[in-house]
Amino acid sequence: MTRLFLTLLLLAGQCWAAPVGWTEHRRALVINTSKDPAHDRVVSGLVKELHAKGFVVTELGDQPRTDGVAYERWIRSVPTLGVSLVYYLGRLTTEKTADGKRVCYSLQLGGYRELATAQDPDLGRNRKEDKPWLSLDRLSQKLDANTARENMVLIDCLGIDDRAQAKLSPGDLHGGAARLSGGELFTAFYPGKAAFHPSLEAPIVGPVLAETLRANLAQGSPLLPERKEDVYTVRPRFNRPYALQHEAAEVCASPEVLRAGRFAGDQWVDRNGFCFVWVPAATFRMGDAAFADAQPVNVTITKGFWIGKYEVLGRESSLFNSGGQSIGTGPLARVEDKTFNQRRYQFFRPAGIGSIDAATEQLEKWQAYLAKVGLQYEGWTYDYPTEGEWELAARAGGKTTGLPAPVKGLGQYANFADVCLFNDRDPVHYIYAHREANDGYGRALSPIGNYRPNAWGIHDMHGNLAELCSNFYTKELLSGTDPNDQTLPSTRSSRLRISRGGSWCSRPEYLHVAFRNAFTGAGTPHVGMRLVLRQGERVTRSRNEIIARMEAEVKAQNKK
């Protein structure tokens, strides 16, 4: 395929996007089951300070008929790459696991009932629930396995009701409750076992950690409250800090409510923690004269849509079974630093999902399942973006017209073929490396959200993984209203889909906002997925669906 690469276009004469700061979603769940007014005042002070730091705070404890369900929904909707904090003030209850072999410590919340999972049990392997639903063990297990950047659990324990008849001393009971599982959690528990030492007076229970955390938030101190004299504190592996790294992201609605965004770049998080950015309807000039197959045309997108803030992760794609595909993970970064958290790094590497045909059919099954269990968003559908929608989002209202930055500074915005890839001597791709740019990663995918977002706050539209679009590839851009070619010449034919944005092994021109590529294979660590939530029905059709429609049309015609 002939392509016209204009070196001058890549080096000068472009309208570069203005640097945009990162945003992160902050979520706090504050549960206060104490009936002491003095405790209420302290907890209210904590809530006020959390709000001041940009946390979206959910308060529970005074609605015994609904608190348990609200708790479960909150646990499931912690945002990708966000920070979460759970604070509990109240008594705990001991109860045994189903097999009777372990004693767990559970929150005392009313109104709990088992909710349908977001993953259809028939589409993949769900992890069997083997711990009591309100136990600290299950809470830590769920948080430790989510895709938030950091999670913290703080417990101000007012006492323990030993219903499981563990027959332990108060100190041993509190010591057992303090040992939350989950190696990646930041946890603090008051009062710990040390507070019951015979040489000490009985501990005064209350919102001790709440007051400590409130003070730390107000002063900008480390956010892990610790009272060394009487608190048993579990620190996560690799000894990294729990920190608020970026600006707090604002959302237009709760995860239960889906509506059109208020403005371009508005943000929202769904029930599963997927983060989305609003792209309004628009007419724009698509393409660029530098590329033979992308000569400029006028395109109108008639409906605004929500597009993923990040590329889809493997843990997220498991909700719809990744289209039944074997997830391509791509090469791992080689890091000599022994404190580097390889496990968390792998959490945030996007998944190589190369078959639209497979993923689309599974997305449809997932949508049907969500509707069946009452978890769907009425009038909205998860889908791939069309090529026009992808470029509209990448251009961010005209703020990006080519590359997001000059090539030498492109490493701030994208993971591509740079000096790191050259130094890694990848067997093939290093020969394309631009040795004057440095993105920090060589022959490897970078974690999502690792580079500057575009002007609407969308990360990794350029580089890391090339992203598949709904359309079949055409030799020229399609113009007009909502262009989207979903046709085949015959029931025995196949066509190539389109990938956009370039990947970790692409040379700089592939990252141009108008560059198009015909995707030729499914098993690759170079191509991934970015979800959209669109108004109306899914527009992407698998090859099987297109052929079935063609055959139905032929049958209908023959009956006439």
Side-chain angles (χ1 to χ4, degrees):
M1 184 184 306
T2 302
R3 300 199 183 277
L4 304 177
F5 297 132
L6 301 184
T7 303
L8 291 177
L9 179 65
L10 297 175
L11 299 177
Q14 294 198 53
C15 176
W16 307 111
V20 175
W22 282 267
T23 60
E24 64 183 6
H25 293 279
R26 300 174 184 173
R27 295 290 185 272
L29 178 63
V30 177
I31 306 172
N32 177 11
T33 62
S34 171
K35 305 301 181 183
D36 189 331
H39 293 175
D40 293 344
R41 288 191 291 272
V42 175
V43 174
S44 294
L46 171 60
V47 170
K48 181 179 179 180
E49 201 60 49
L50 286 167
H51 279 304
K53 294 297 183 181
F55 279 84
V56 176
V57 183
T58 299
E59 297 183 71
L60 302 178
D62 59 353
Q63 299 294 327
R65 293 185 178 181
T66 59
D67 278 344
V69 170
Y71 164 84
E72 180 66 18
R73 287 174 175 165
W74 189 94
I75 296 299
R76 296 183 181 190
S77 62
V78 174
T80 295
L81 220 61
V83 290
S84 80
L85 184 152
V86 178
Y87 172 77
Y88 177 79
L89 172 64
R91 298 183 67 84
L92 299 174
T93 300
T94 62
E95 56 180 319
K96 292 185 178 180
T97 55
D99 59 11
K101 295 181 179 180
R102 288 187 57 194
V103 173
C104 295
Y105 298 80
S106 296
L107 311 177
Q108 294 188 3
L109 276 178
Y112 189 86
R113 60 182 173 84
E114 184 176 345
L115 300 178
T117 63
Q119 181 186 30
D120 185 346
D122 295 332
L123 291 185
R125 293 177 294 177
N126 278 333
R127 184 172 184 174
K128 185 178 180 180
E129 295 285 359
D130 58 350
K131 298 176 177 62
W133 288 88
L134 290 172
S135 67
L136 298 182
D137 300 73
R138 180 176 179 269
L139 170 63
S140 64
Q141 181 186 75
K142 291 295 183 184
L143 294 181
D144 190 49
N146 69 18
T147 54
R149 179 172 60 79
E150 300 293 4
N151 301 279
M152 182 191 292
V153 178
L154 308 175
I155 307 293
D156 270 325
C157 181
L158 300 182
I160 298 177
D161 299 326
D162 189 17
R163 295 179 185 174
Q165 298 183 348
K167 298 180 180 179
L168 299 174
S169 68
D172 287 337
L173 280 173
H174 283 73
R179 294 182 179 89
L180 294 179
S181 61
E184 301 299 333
L185 283 175
F186 291 85
T187 65
F189 186 95
Y190 176 87
K193 181 176 181 178
F196 293 87
H197 192 276
S199 64
L200 301 176
E201 295 182 6
I204 299 175
V205 296
V208 174
L209 295 179
E211 176 56 35
T212 307
L213 177 59
R214 184 205 62 77
N216 287 354
L217 285 167
Q219 298 169 9
S221 303
L223 295 186
L224 183 61
E226 183 175 11
R227 291 165 56 92
K228 294 182 180 179
E229 66 274 14
D230 56 11
V231 179
Y232 183 95
T233 300
V234 181
R235 292 188 179 277
R237 292 195 296 268
F238 306 104
N239 200 32
R240 66 186 186 280
Y242 182 100
L244 305 179
Q245 292 185 352
H246 310 304
E247 295 179 11
E250 296 183 5
V251 293
C252 65
S254 73
E256 307 302 318
V257 179
L258 175 55
R259 60 171 71 100
R262 300 164 294 181
F263 48 81
D266 202 3
Q267 297 193 46
W268 177 75
V269 181
D270 79 353
R271 294 186 181 98
N272 306 302
F274 284 112
C275 301
F276 289 95
V277 174
W278 180 249
V279 180
T283 296
F284 71 106
R285 192 73 168 161
M286 184 176 175
D288 194 288
F291 307 111
D293 64 344
Q295 294 300 294
V297 296
N298 291 326
V299 168
T300 297
I301 304 299
T302 58
K303 294 181 179 179
F305 57 95
W306 291 100
I307 191 167
K309 183 177 181 178
Y310 308 109
E311 293 168 326
V312 173
L313 299 172
R315 285 174 177 261
E316 295 172 327
S317 66
S318 66
L319 287 172
F320 49 90
N321 201 31
S322 310
Q325 302 174 68
S326 176
I327 290 293
T329 57
L332 288 169
R334 294 196 295 272
V335 180
E336 295 180 1
D337 184 357
K338 293 182 179 180
T339 66
F340 180 74
N341 191 343
Q342 190 71 252
R343 178 171 178 262
R344 288 302 280 184
Y345 161 66
Q346 293 188 57
F347 270 27
F348 301 114
R349 294 166 65 242
I353 304 174
S355 173
I356 281 185
D357 291 331
T360 295
E361 293 183 3
Q362 292 296 339
L363 274 173
E364 183 66 18
K365 293 179 182 178
W366 185 48
Q367 292 274 156
Y369 167 77
L370 293 178
K372 177 182 176 181
V373 298
L375 293 176
Q376 85 281 22
Y377 292 106
E378 193 69 35
W380 295 79
T381 309
Y382 292 94
D383 200 356
Y384 280 88
T386 66
E387 187 180 20
E389 289 169 341
W390 187 95
E391 187 165 323
L392 175 61
R395 287 182 178 274
K399 299 298 190 298
T400 302
T401 59
L403 296 177
V407 175
K408 288 185 178 180
L410 193 55
Q412 298 181 55
Y413 288 86
N415 178 17
F416 65 106
D418 69 328
V419 66
C420 295
L421 182 64
F422 180 83
N423 291 337
D424 271 1
R425 284 299 194 272
D426 176 88
V428 176
H429 303 102
Y430 85 95
I431 62 176
Y432 304 120
H434 195 291
R435 281 175 272 177
E436 294 184 8
N438 188 338
D439 60 35
Y441 283 82
R443 187 177 179 270
L445 293 169
S446 68
I448 60 169
N450 199 47
Y451 300 98
R452 286 187 179 277
N454 71 8
W456 284 351
I458 309 170
H459 288 266
D460 301 314
M461 291 296 280
H462 310 269
N464 216 25
L465 279 180
E467 297 169 13
L468 287 173
C469 296
S470 171
N471 310 52
F472 286 115
Y473 179 80
T474 53
K475 292 183 179 180
E476 296 178 345
L477 285 174
L478 301 177
S479 62
T481 301
D482 299 322
N484 184 20
D485 185 354
Q486 296 286 304
T487 63
L488 292 172
S490 71
T491 57
R492 295 186 177 183
S493 61
S494 297
R495 293 177 64 187
L496 303 178
R497 302 281 183 172
I498 297 170
S499 69
R500 288 296 209 111
S503 74
W504 59 271
C505 57
S506 296
R507 48 194 179 190
E509 53 264 34
Y510 281 44
L511 277 61
H512 191 285
V513 73
F515 185 87
R516 311 170 71 221
N517 218 347
F519 178 60
T520 57
T524 171
H526 313 139
V527 176
M529 178 183 193
R530 190 182 296 268
L531 276 179
V532 298
L533 257 173
R534 67 172 69 259
Q535 302 174 72
E537 297 181 352
R538 174 172 55 90
V539 301
T540 310
R541 294 288 179 261
S542 70
R543 181 175 180 272
N544 289 337
E545 289 174 317
I546 295 171
I547 290 174
R549 183 184 62 190
M550 294 171 66
E551 291 175 342
E553 290 174 351
V554 170
K555 288 182 180 180
Q557 188 68 29
N558 291 338
K559 289 181 179 180
K560 293 183 179 180

